[in-house]
Amino acid sequence: MLERFKTPVAAGLSLALPLLALPGSAAAETDVLYGSFAPATSAFSTGYIVPWIEAITEATDGSVNFNYVPGGGVVDMRTAVSGIRDGVVDGAFYVTVSYASDLPVIFMLSELIGLGQSNAARIGAFNEFVIEDCPECQAELDAWNQQFLGGYSLGDYYLFCTRAVTTPEDFNGLRIRAIPPSSRLFGAVGEVVPVTVSLTESYEALQRGQVDCHAGPASTYVTYSFIDIADHVVELSSGASFGGSVFTFSQDKWAEFTPEERQAILRATAEASAHGAIAYAQEDAAALEAARAQGSTVAPVNDAVQAALSAWIAENGTGAAERAAERGVADAQAIVDRFLPYIDRWNALVPTDEDEAAIAEVFWTEIYADYPSE
């Protein structure tokens, strides 16, 4: 499995160049321009995308040749979906937060935060449902010329704050940079003040005192240098998210691959999904260790806050469906109800993020071995 690969970052190399050409170009038959808004050093790149590309390149002996452009060099968070449709890129990583109107069903699923026992369980549930049991998802993906292969999962969200946050009273007036639905989640605790700035602007907003806290997975505490300015890491034990699309081609590009290349891509997707799930969990753990080593305070909220968060998550399936219905999704609650059993199923299949080879094999047998050929 992917343990045999060293990502360029792990090997001490740099992905800072605007264009990354991976091995195999001399024998290439099909060139792929793949875009991502995420930095080259992010866990999305090092955990998911680069190992996936390396595996495909090796398995096809370079007949599929990638140019990977991270860091928004060709498409960014808001242009990836239209870029795939219009042929600006052959594939891209994107998060659905920017596409509530364009991909309303998939956006609705990604709003179901706080579910699943592990990254791998969340990935498996989301991918199997979208690929095998969500014609509504496929219809909206078809409209954007997308061949969806797989999404991602993040671990629990934390608050990175410039002051201590522990009680419900601490949330009143708290200025938080958080994307929906996390901003709604925190609103269940107190009268928070959502602040709308981009991820890349959040550091400066914290530095200038425009926001008190940034909400995100633990890994971003280090990746985006919040460790330098936010001395309080607030543990919430809720808010894990999944969704988006980390592995997606345009349907035009997918049609260019041979059956053998498609099988290699699908096998690599199963392996990279397992690798990414574990890598992200490991980066989260490493970030928390770095926070403690730095002298940051890492502390949980109190029981009253945790109870309010848990109550909101329990009702969020209904809330997400209601919001989706307002955006025009037909039978939104029925889609949510059809999806939720997949969470239970995958919690049983892969309860923890530990055995990469075993998780990859489950992804393969349960999802990708029978991936639709057309």
Side-chain angles (χ1 to χ4, degrees), residues 189-237:
V189 181
E191 295 182 2
V192 301
V193 180
V195 179
T196 303
V197 296
S198 71
L199 177 58
T200 54
E201 295 169 332
S202 192
Y203 178 97
E204 186 175 349
L206 276 167
Q207 190 176 46
R208 291 184 173 183
Q210 294 172 284
V211 300
D212 302 307
C213 301
H214 171 92
S219 62
T220 58
Y221 188 58
V222 174
T223 304
Y224 288 89
S225 301
F226 298 126
I227 190 172
D228 297 332
I229 54 173
D231 295 333
H232 296 269
V233 177
V234 182
E235 296 178 316
L236 303 169
S237 299

Side-chain angles (χ1 to χ4, degrees), residues 21-31 57 60-67:
L22 292 172
S25 57
E29 297 176 2
T30 305
D31 291 323
T57 303
T60 63
D61 292 325
S63 68
V64 177
N65 177 56
F66 282 83
N67 287 327

Side-chain angles (χ1 to χ4, degrees), residues 95-100 104-115 152 154-155 157-159 171 176-190 192 194-195 215-217 236 238-244 308-324 327 336:
V95 297
T96 50
V97 65
S98 300
Y99 303 103
V105 177
I106 293 175
F107 178 83
M108 175 182 69
L109 296 176
S110 70
E111 282 207 301
L112 300 175
I113 62 174
L115 305 178
Y152 62 87
L154 307 180
Y157 265 40
Y158 293 74
L159 289 176
F171 280 79
I176 302 177
R177 187 276 175 186
I179 59 176
S182 293
S183 54
R184 298 187 185 95
L185 170 65
F186 303 131
V189 181
V192 301
V195 179
L236 303 169
S238 59
S241 63
F242 56 88
L309 296 172
S310 298
W312 186 90
I313 290 170
E315 297 296 327
N316 184 42
T318 299
E322 290 174 348
R323 293 189 293 274
R327 293 190 296 270
V336 170

Side-chain angles (χ1 to χ4, degrees), residues 210-288:
Q210 294 172 284
V211 300
D212 302 307
C213 301
H214 171 92
S219 62
T220 58
Y221 188 58
V222 174
T223 304
Y224 288 89
S225 301
F226 298 126
I227 190 172
D228 297 332
I229 54 173
D231 295 333
H232 296 269
V233 177
V234 182
E235 296 178 316
L236 303 169
S237 299
S238 59
S241 63
F242 56 88
S245 183
V246 71
F247 307 126
T248 286
F249 293 107
S250 70
Q251 292 179 348
D252 300 321
K253 182 58 61 175
W254 185 251
E256 294 182 23
F257 298 132
T258 67
E260 294 77 15
E261 289 169 342
R262 290 184 185 182
Q263 283 297 296
I265 291 168
L266 292 170
R267 174 62 80 170
T269 302
E271 295 183 359
S273 295
H275 185 77
I278 293 174
Y280 224 111
Q282 291 173 339
E283 289 214 9
D284 282 351
L288 294 175

Side-chain angles (χ1 to χ4, degrees), residues 313-349:
I313 290 170
E315 297 296 327
N316 184 42
T318 299
E322 290 174 348
R323 293 189 293 274
E326 292 172 358
R327 293 190 296 270
V329 174
D331 299 321
Q333 187 64 60
I335 297 171
V336 170
D337 292 343
R338 200 166 73 238
F339 168 70
L340 290 177
Y342 282 80
I343 294 289
D344 295 332
R345 164 174 154 76
W346 281 87
N347 281 343
L349 284 170

